[in-house]
Structure formats: C-alpha cells, structure tokens
Amino acid sequence: MDFIFHNTFQKSLERLNNEEQKQAKITAMDLQLNPASPGHQFHKVERAKDKRFWTVRINRDLRIVVYRDDSRLVLCYVDHHDKAYNWAQKRKYETHPVTGSAQFVEIRERVEEVVKIVEVEEQLSAQKEHAETPAIQGITDAELLAYGIPDEWLVAVKEANEDFILEVAERLPPEAQEAVLKLAVGEIPDLPTPFESNKDPFSHPDAQRSFRIMNDVDELQAALDFPWERWIVFLHPLQRRLVERDFNGPARISGSAGTGKTIVALHRAVFLAKNNPETRILLTTFSGTLANSLSSKLRRLLRSQPRLGEQIEIHSMEDWAKRLFETNFAKSQLATPEMLDSFISESFDKVDGHSFHLPFVKAEWAQIVDAWQLQNWDDYRDFKRLGRKTRISKTHRESLWKIFSKVKAKLAEKNLITPAERFTKLSSHFIDKRSPYDFMVVDEAQDIDVSQLKLLAALSGNRKNSLFLCGDLGQRIFQSPFSWKALGVNIQGRSSTLKINYRTSHQIRTQADMLLDTELSDLDGNTENRRGTVSVFNGSKPEIVALKTEQAEIETVANWLNDKVQQGAKPREIGVFVRSKNEIHRAEYALKQAGIDYHNLDSKVDPTSGKASVSIMHLAKGLEFKIVVVMACDEDIMPSQERIETASDEAELEDIYNTERHLLYVACTRARDYLLVTCVEPGSEFLLDMR
C-alpha cells in the first residue's frame, strides 16, 4: 500500500501548536509503520460525500483525516474534531476527466457560497457594472477543463468578478488555481502535457505537486520537519518553461518578491548540470548569507541525486572573486571600507579650491572612479556620468581628480586594491582566455555592480545559455543604476517577468506593494511592470503599530511573537529585521523577552537553522520566513538620516529615498503568513504609504 502525504496535511499541521504537532507527527509515523493496526481507531466520516474519507484519532480532540482505498492511504488533513470532520465532508477525490490527474476537490453546493454577493445598491451604476464583470472572459468550458479545473467549478470560475476570483482560485487544486490566476490577469497558460489514460493518476505531474509518496519513515520525517520543502521541489509551469528554455545570449528573469526567482535560479543550475555532464556551473549571489541559504536549498533539492551538486559551485560574488583572483594572480590585500573612507577624507582636506561636500566626493569615488576603474585624468574628463545626475564642469572635475589621484597613490603605496579593481583585473584576464565556468546563474542580480557585471560578461562571452540572471528592480538597495548593455550584457528579447506570487499572502503583498511604483525601468529601457501580480493564497492583514517608547515596542513584539509560538510557530520560521546595527538591540530584547532562541545573521550563519533570525534589512534579501517583524521604523531611522545627509542634490536625494523604500519593501516581503511592522512615534513617512 502506498503511503502518501498531501500538501493540505502539511499546511494544517503548521497551524497546530507545538504539542499538538508533536502528537500528530507520532500518529502519522505510526500509520506509516503499520497502517492496518486496529489501534489507529479508523472512523468513517459521517455525511461525507466521498465514503473513502476516514478519521484517525490522535487524542481526545485531535483527528487526522485520511483517504483510503485498496492501494493507498493518503494523509489529508489534521485538526480538532469538528473542523477535521467539516473538512472531509466538503471534499471528494476524483481523477480529472480531461487531464487524468488525481485531485482533491472541494464540493461546491451553490455558486452563492463561493462568489459572495456584492452590496451595490448605494454605488453608482458604473461601479455596479464593473463589480459584476467576470474576471475571465472568452474562455470555453473545454479550455477550462483542459487546464485542470474541476467540472463542478466551471460556473463559479466563469462568474467570479475580479474582487472574488482569488477566493474562487484558493478553493481549486494547484494546477487549476494557477491557470485561473493567469487567465484573470490576461495571460494564456500552457496546456498540460497529454497524459496516458491508463497511467496512475497519482503519477501525473500535476498530482505530484500536491501528493508525495513517502517511501520510508525518514522521508516522512523530513516532510514533516521541513514544510517549506515543497517550494523547492516543485516548479510551476511558467517557471519550468524558463528553467528549461534555450537562450542565445544573456537572459534575465524578473518579478516582484515571492514570485520564485531564487527557486528558478536553483532549478536552472540543476537543469544545466543534468543536461550537460562534466560541465562547471557557477551559482552566485550578492552576499554570503544568501549563498549559505542557496547551499541549504540545493542540498534539499538534490537529496536523491547528490552527485549533480559536484558540478555546481555556490559562492557570494566577493568570495568567488577572491578564489578566482588567488588562482590566477598572487594573493592581494583588499582595502577595507574604513581605509577608503580615511584615504578620501585625508585627500579631500589636502586639496584646496573646491566647494564639494565630502559625502558627494565619497559617492563620486565609489560610483564613478572606482566602479568603472578610471585610471587617469583623461578617462575621468571624458566619462559620461550616466548614473550620477549632478552635472560637473571641466574645472570642477579637475579639482576632483586631484583628490582621487591622491587616493589612488595612497592605495598603491600601501599595496592595496579595491574589490572593484579585483573584478576588473579578472575581467581583463579572461577576455581572451577560456572561462573556468560553462554556465553562470546569478541570483539577486539587481544589486551586482559595474565591475562584477564586467567579469560576468567576460566569462560568458555571449555564449548560448552561459549567463542567466534573476532579479527585481524593486529590490535594488545597493547600486546606483547603470547600463548593462554598455558592458556587453544585452538582455533585450531574452527577458521574462514572473507574475504569480507563491510565497507571500495577498494581504502582505498588496500592502508592501504600496511602497513602490507599478512600473520600474532600467537604463537600457527594459521595463518591469508589476501590475497584474497576484498571490495564490490569502492570509492575515499585516499589522502596523506605533508605540510611545522603545520598551513598549519591545513588549508588544514579544507578546505578538509569543502568541504565534503558542499557535505552533517554530523559532526557525521567525525573522526580525531592523534598519541598521544601531537598532539591533531592540530586536534582541524583544526575542529575549519572548523566550525565543535566536542568532544574528551574517555571512557565515545559515538562516535555515533551528533558531529565529535577527538581522539588518540588507541581509534579509533572498530569505523567507513564515513570520516577520520589522522593528524600529521610526521617523529618524527610516529613511536613514545618515544617508540623507550625504545627498549633494535633489537627484541623489530621490535615489536615496527610492532605495530606502526598496529596503523596507524587501524586509516586509520576507514574510509568508504574518507581518508586524512597528515604530516608536513619530513613525516613518513610509508607513503612511502602507496604511
């Protein structure tokens, strides 16, 4: 008998408290070891439409709902007695008549129960007309069935307006849900691959997104302990198409937070390894923290085929450059940010006859001189300052170059190089040499800098499939914009945007989206339109709370987290973020008061360990948690007053405000189910935008 684990069991298990989860896991393992044991106390579900649903007693109140026939036992749902029976009474198993996939289908008694009647008596006629317009039009019943939509849900899908289409979609099997959401935003989903009618419906690719056969207790334990594994293992159709597509040059996958860019990057690396044996693949990202997270996810993804991992190297950009540089050149000593600050300040004081502010000079060095590795006065004089909006006359440039030439002399004297110089030397080295990598996959690509992209371009050589970049302009928090095309990375015609958010609830996503424009563009004219992005599930409305004192904020956060733990949340599912190191103590005090074990994230800490994570917002990139708290969003902290003071003109000030907004957006969208944002009054102006 096949023992099968369904995603609805996984989701319902997460909602139980810790003790209830423990008891449910023990019962689940006992079922797998001996499903026929009379001690399990199987009971038929009274008034169930499908007589193959049974319950198994955990304790006096808790029940597991199972589906049982002659060849399989499926763990379906777990909850308190009445809720468990209610779930089973409203569902049935069926093999879809067109796709041939196994499905659990929610029974629809009446359309009115799903598509709620909108009260429109007091609305204008135009509003009324809009409210009653179906979200999906011009699609036949046969087409809807071909996408895996259950027959009895056809009417509800066709009648649901845009206000209630998400509510309808949530009640459908995953493959049908995805198709409905795509149709609602005007996209045409791919039709499923034809499936032989004589095959097991549980082996259908769509079914395998929801049903997983547990071969042994160890596999069941892993599924019970790592509920987010499903996000790594399964690809949705659009994601799979991008993963497996051939590109004749560099390609970029974009999409707002939670649309699965990192998952696509991981699967792309694995796909390339599978289909190109003996090749070397680089999977790189912005920071060490993210690289650690990618490594953990890759191990889970390759659990059954670990040898593929031998082809894939995972490094942060800086670690990768260090390794590559030391292999091809002698070891070098990097100038630290503190050293550079000191050299620039010292040179600034020695050059007279200019009216520049020191913050502007530091930014000019970082974004122009060092980033582009301008070596002499002629280079600087003729450079087109695309990323810097302040205009500078030739005379002023001469004064600035006097400062920068002194900085360069100081670096040479100390035998130091900058990270940008290291990347640039490597890119020059590999211009006419064979690349050590056949394929490169880059996550969080929106934050790679000029010198890093130069190296990627040199190593890829515009070869087929050699460079695959995943990123989101809305999450750009580090780099000033620059032209990728000018550096040889032209993604025109090879750019795709993911529109379906699988990670973040509708409520969290829509509230976080208020921080950003609906359309973002890069300097090459490539546009990311965020309009039409949808989440596949509902959740709790984010809470935004302003407190009178830091202590009140700490107590509020501690109580809120305690409540979530009492409901079954685990420490590893919690992330607490602040703007800078100056506010870390507020997060630490809150977790200590809540009695939750935590660690501070840095480049060496794996965020998937068993502890809650505390970090600055910059290190939150690419991570995800069931529960997120964003603390210390005070008026003088968010946006950073320190950064604002460095702005030399309105253009730079605007870019600072934009990246600070992006930073808050990044922190908030790490949350899957629950989000709390707090501040000490007066709060950040950004919070007003989110309300």
Side-chain angles (χ1 to χ4, degrees):
M1 174 178 283
D2 287 336
F3 189 83
I4 299 174
F5 189 93
H6 193 264
N7 279 352
T8 51
F9 180 82
Q10 203 168 48
K11 293 175 183 177
S12 59
L13 180 68
E14 292 176 37
R15 291 193 288 268
L16 302 179
N17 65 39
N18 286 335
E19 184 57 35
E20 291 170 342
Q21 287 188 31
K22 189 183 298 181
Q23 294 181 48
K25 290 178 181 181
I26 292 171
T27 303
M29 290 180 187
D30 288 344
L31 274 170
Q32 185 182 41
L33 289 169
N34 189 1
S37 171
H40 293 314
Q41 301 184 47
F42 284 94
H43 294 279
K44 272 192 176 284
V45 178
E46 300 289 336
R47 293 180 291 140
K49 295 292 177 71
D50 192 325
K51 302 304 180 185
R52 293 165 294 185
F53 279 124
W54 299 70
T55 65
V56 177
R57 180 186 173 99
I58 298 174
N59 58 27
R60 185 174 179 180
D61 186 40
L62 285 175
R63 300 291 185 273
I64 293 177
V65 177
V66 300
Y67 169 88
R68 187 170 69 166
D69 60 23
D70 293 339
S71 60
R72 58 182 63 87
L73 187 148
V74 185
L75 296 181
C76 303
Y77 191 77
V78 59
D79 211 328
H80 298 276
H81 181 281
D82 291 352
K83 291 181 179 178
Y85 274 78
N86 184 57
W87 186 92
Q89 289 163 358
K90 291 183 176 180
R91 282 159 180 86
K92 64 181 178 180
Y93 166 82
E94 67 179 31
T95 300
H96 192 278
V98 175
T99 68
S101 174
Q103 294 181 331
F104 283 148
V105 178
E106 186 171 347
I107 297 166
R108 186 182 63 83
E109 300 289 355
R110 297 185 304 273
V111 174
E112 290 80 7
E113 291 182 353
V114 180
V115 185
K116 298 176 181 177
I117 298 174
V118 182
E119 298 292 337
V120 296
E121 294 179 357
E122 298 180 359
Q123 297 182 7
L124 299 173
S125 59
Q127 294 174 308
K128 180 177 178 180
E129 182 181 347
H130 173 72
E132 294 180 346
T133 301
I136 297 174
Q137 302 180 58
I139 305 295
T140 67
D141 286 3
E143 289 171 319
L144 292 175
L145 285 169
Y147 291 131
I149 294 163
D151 181 73
E152 67 181 88
W153 281 90
L154 294 177
V155 173
V157 167
K158 291 191 297 183
E159 291 187 1
N161 62 32
E162 66 179 29
D163 293 325
F164 299 107
I165 193 68
L166 179 59
E167 212 169 310
V168 173
E170 276 194 300
R171 297 168 180 260
L172 303 176
E175 65 275 17
Q177 179 187 87
E178 182 171 297
V180 165
L181 292 172
K182 282 188 178 180
L183 290 167
V185 299
E187 296 184 22
I188 303 299
D190 290 338
L191 287 170
T193 304
F195 191 69
E196 296 176 23
S197 59
N198 61 343
K199 283 194 172 182
D200 179 8
F202 286 86
S203 68
H204 192 288
D206 286 340
Q208 290 179 3
R209 292 163 58 176
S210 301
F211 299 89
R212 292 178 57 194
I213 294 178
M214 299 289 109
N215 295 308
D216 51 43
V217 172
D218 289 341
E219 192 167 340
L220 176 61
Q221 180 70 58
L224 293 169
D225 288 345
F226 296 97
W228 286 5
E229 197 173 51
R230 61 181 179 267
W231 299 107
I232 299 167
V233 174
F234 297 116
L235 281 175
H236 301 275
L238 175 59
Q239 295 174 329
R240 183 171 297 280
R241 190 164 72 242
L242 295 172
V243 164
E244 298 178 356
R245 181 176 163 186
D246 273 334
F247 296 96
N248 289 322
R252 183 175 75 185
I253 308 303
S254 61
S256 59
T259 52
K261 298 180 297 298
T262 296
I263 301 305
V264 168
L266 278 165
H267 278 271
R268 178 69 173 182
V270 172
F271 173 79
L272 292 169
K274 280 182 179 177
N275 289 275
N276 301 276
E278 309 304 321
T279 57
R280 290 185 70 190
I281 299 158
L282 173 70
L283 176 57
T284 186
T285 188
F286 182 78
S287 70
T289 306
L290 286 181
N292 286 337
S293 179
L294 283 173
S295 295
S296 296
K297 290 174 178 175
L298 185 67
R299 285 194 297 272
R300 282 187 234 162
L301 181 58
L302 297 179
R303 182 173 290 165
S304 61
Q305 38 191 347
R307 287 187 63 87
L308 284 177
E310 296 173 7
Q311 291 177 245
I312 303 170
E313 292 183 23
I314 300 180
H315 304 293
S316 69
M317 292 293 296
E318 292 296 342
D319 278 350
W320 167 54
K322 181 176 183 294
R323 290 166 180 261
L324 204 58
F325 195 90
E326 291 179 356
T327 301
N328 292 277
F329 300 96
K331 286 189 176 182
S332 60
Q333 186 177 352
L334 279 188
T336 65
E338 293 75 19
M339 289 176 182
L340 283 169
D341 267 356
S342 173
F343 296 166
I344 295 170
S345 298
E346 184 181 321
S347 301
F348 179 88
D349 292 336
K350 289 181 178 179
V351 176
D352 299 322
H354 65 81
S355 57
F356 294 107
H357 298 295
L358 181 59
F360 174 83
V361 175
K362 288 180 179 179
E364 185 78 359
W365 165 268
Q367 297 176 25
I368 302 296
V369 179
D370 189 43
W372 293 89
Q373 282 296 290
L374 306 181
Q375 297 302 317
N376 51 56
W377 159 242
D378 290 346
D379 289 347
Y380 184 59
R381 179 194 62 203
D382 300 333
F383 186 80
K384 295 179 179 179
R385 308 170 71 258
L386 296 178
R388 300 277 281 169
K389 300 190 176 67
T390 305
R391 294 184 178 180
I392 304 177
S393 68
K394 181 182 176 182
T395 302
H396 284 151
R397 289 200 190 202
E398 288 175 341
S399 296
L400 284 167
W401 187 252
K402 289 177 182 178
I403 299 172
F404 299 141
S405 61
K406 290 181 181 297
V407 176
K408 285 182 168 291
K410 197 73 174 177
L411 288 167
E413 178 192 328
K414 301 284 187 181
N415 199 27
L416 297 170
I417 66 170
T418 66
E421 186 178 355
R422 184 162 64 183
F423 277 102
T424 302
K425 283 187 174 182
L426 283 168
S427 62
S428 299
H429 177 75
F430 282 107
I431 282 291
D432 56 357
K433 290 183 175 61
R434 178 178 171 80
S435 171
Y437 301 98
D438 301 280
F439 307 103
M440 292 174 291
V441 179
V442 184
D443 193 27
E444 301 294 341
Q446 75 280 346
D447 275 322
I448 58 177
D449 65 26
V450 170
S451 62
Q452 292 166 348
L453 192 64
K454 278 183 181 178
L455 178 56
L456 291 168
L459 292 175
S460 70
N462 281 316
R463 299 188 312 277
K464 182 179 178 181
N465 295 322
S466 61
L467 184 56
F468 188 87
L469 304 118
C470 298
D472 173 18
L473 292 178
Q475 298 183 63
R476 180 181 64 84
I477 60 177
F478 290 104
Q479 301 303 325
S480 295
F482 61 92
S483 171
W484 285 18
K485 187 177 179 180
L487 295 175
V489 179
N490 186 2
I491 59 168
Q492 196 164 15
R494 294 183 296 274
S495 178
S496 300
T497 302
L498 298 168
K499 292 281 189 169
I500 298 179
N501 187 310
Y502 302 99
R503 184 187 71 209
T504 304
S505 73
H506 171 74
Q507 288 73 16
I508 293 173
R509 179 188 59 78
T510 52
Q511 205 141 0
D513 279 351
M514 294 176 184
L515 292 165
L516 305 179
D517 293 331
T518 56
E519 192 169 282
L520 302 171
S521 300
D522 63 22
L523 290 184
D524 296 324
N526 301 297
T527 299
E528 293 180 9
N529 191 334
R530 311 172 79 82
R531 191 177 289 107
T533 299
V534 292
S535 297
V536 300
F537 66 98
N538 277 308
S540 300
K541 184 178 175 62
E543 299 177 48
I544 301 175
V545 182
L547 290 308
K548 297 291 186 183
T549 65
E550 282 191 19
Q551 186 56 41
E553 179 192 39
I554 290 165
E555 290 175 359
T556 297
V557 171
N559 292 336
W560 189 83
L561 288 174
N562 261 324
D563 182 59
K564 297 297 178 284
V565 170
Q566 290 300 313
Q567 295 173 32
K570 300 176 178 62
R572 62 178 168 82
E573 297 174 323
I574 298 170
V576 185
F577 304 109
V578 293
R579 172 61 183 81
S580 72
K581 292 180 180 180
N582 295 332
E583 298 85 43
I584 283 285
H585 67 281
R586 290 159 71 166
E588 292 176 335
Y589 287 157
L591 284 162
K592 286 176 182 176
Q593 190 160 323
I596 298 171
D597 198 12
Y598 69 91
H599 57 208
N600 293 91
L601 290 185
D602 58 29
S603 62
K604 298 183 176 70
V605 174
D606 186 348
T608 61
S609 72
K611 300 179 181 181
S613 295
V614 172
S615 89
I616 60 173
M617 295 179 185
H618 294 82
L619 294 180
K621 290 178 64 65
L623 305 180
E624 54 192 52
F625 300 89
K626 181 178 180 180
I627 297 159
V628 166
V629 181
V630 183
M631 295 182 69
C633 295
D634 309 354
E635 182 181 59
D636 58 346
I637 294 173
M638 192 83 216
S640 165
Q641 293 305 301
E642 185 178 348
R643 286 196 69 200
I644 289 173
E645 290 169 5
T646 69
S648 62
D649 57 30
E650 289 187 9
E652 286 197 10
L653 185 62
E654 181 185 0
D655 193 54
I656 288 170
Y657 266 82
N658 285 339
T659 52
E660 290 287 303
R661 282 180 175 275
H662 295 179
L663 190 56
L664 182 57
Y665 171 82
V666 166
C668 291
T669 53
R670 302 309 93 195
R672 190 183 90 187
D673 295 313
Y674 301 100
L675 172 64
L676 173 65
V677 183
T678 64
C679 69
V680 174
E681 295 179 333
S684 167
E685 61 189 271
F686 298 159
L687 300 188
L688 297 176
D689 297 331
M690 293 181 65
R691 294 183 183 275

